[in-house]
Amino acid sequence: EDRSVDRAVDRVDAEKAHANGETGGDNTDGEGGADIAIIDTGIDDDHPDLQANVGAGKAYVKCKGPTCTYSWSDDNDHGTHCAGIADAVDNGEGVVGVSTDATLHAVKVLDRDGAGSFSDVAAGIEYTADQGWDVGSLSLGASSGSQTVKDACQYAADRGVLLVAAAGNGGPCTDCVGYPAAYSTVMAISSTDRDDSLSSFS
């Protein structure tokens, strides 16, 4: 097995899609390629695995510190990590993403501590929908919901955005999927172990 193919990429058979030319780029679907919003702490626009794929960004919480090229730059690294899973380029180094040629958009709604407000998360979801982007990735969550976020998720879903969100890290438990993952307009994603069973914390 190719060392650069991450277990998760292999688990969802993304490498088979790559081999068939389905990489999320402009030349694969005739529709201008896929646009993925990472609704999180921002994205490191200088990262060698991401730089070629980073497009427009938006900040609801401004980046702080010496690493801030843009207001939506990542001052925490969580968003950058998530962006790499979604769309790291296939450049012979580091990891390879589930897609490799899609356009990544940083929608910064969380601060350098990874904290944020429901209103900023909702605004980021609505902004993603208004741009006509394809996917909104939310590796964030709360134990209780928010009508504002729920309405934003409905707004995005009605406009064709695939919203994916973390089920949560508060396990083991039953019937405890976090928000916004628990909404019917959002796909909840859990963590699995190497043997494909649910991770102990998920």
Side-chain angles (χ1 to χ4, degrees), residues 12-34:
V12 299
D13 286 336
E15 78 282 7
K16 292 184 171 90
H18 300 169
N20 290 332
E22 295 292 338
T23 59
D26 291 351
N27 60 346
T28 59
D29 63 3
E31 296 179 4

Side-chain angles (χ1 to χ4, degrees), residues 24-116:
D26 291 351
N27 60 346
T28 59
D29 63 3
E31 296 179 4
D35 289 279
I36 304 168
I38 305 295
I39 305 169
D40 208 288
T41 61
I43 297 175
D44 176 1
D45 57 284
D46 289 331
H47 195 289
D49 276 350
L50 302 175
Q51 191 173 23
N53 290 344
V54 175
K58 175 79 171 174
Y60 291 92
V61 178
K62 284 195 172 178
C63 183
K64 293 181 179 171
T67 61
C68 302
T69 308
Y70 301 100
S71 59
W72 49 259
S73 295
D74 195 352
D75 48 9
N76 173 280
D77 292 337
H78 187 265
T80 298
H81 176 77
C82 296
I85 294 168
D87 194 41
V89 296
D90 189 355
N91 60 0
E93 61 180 277
V95 297
V96 175
V98 171
S99 59
T100 58
D101 293 311
T103 302
L104 290 165
H105 302 283
V107 180
K108 184 170 172 56
V109 298
L110 302 178
D111 65 19
R112 59 178 156 188
D113 296 322

Side-chain angles (χ1 to χ4, degrees), residues 152-178:
C153 291
Q154 186 66 59
Y155 179 84
D158 288 346
R159 282 152 186 79
V161 181
L162 171 63
L163 295 173
V164 293
N169 296 336
C173 56
T174 56
D175 195 29
C176 63
V177 172

Side-chain angles (χ1 to χ4, degrees), residues 1-18 85 96-98 194 196:
E1 186 178 347
D2 182 348
R3 65 163 184 79
S4 66
V5 176
D6 180 75
R7 181 185 72 87
V9 167
D10 178 62
R11 185 65 191 87
V12 299
D13 286 336
E15 78 282 7
K16 292 184 171 90
H18 300 169
I85 294 168
V96 175
V98 171
R194 288 199 170 273
D196 294 330

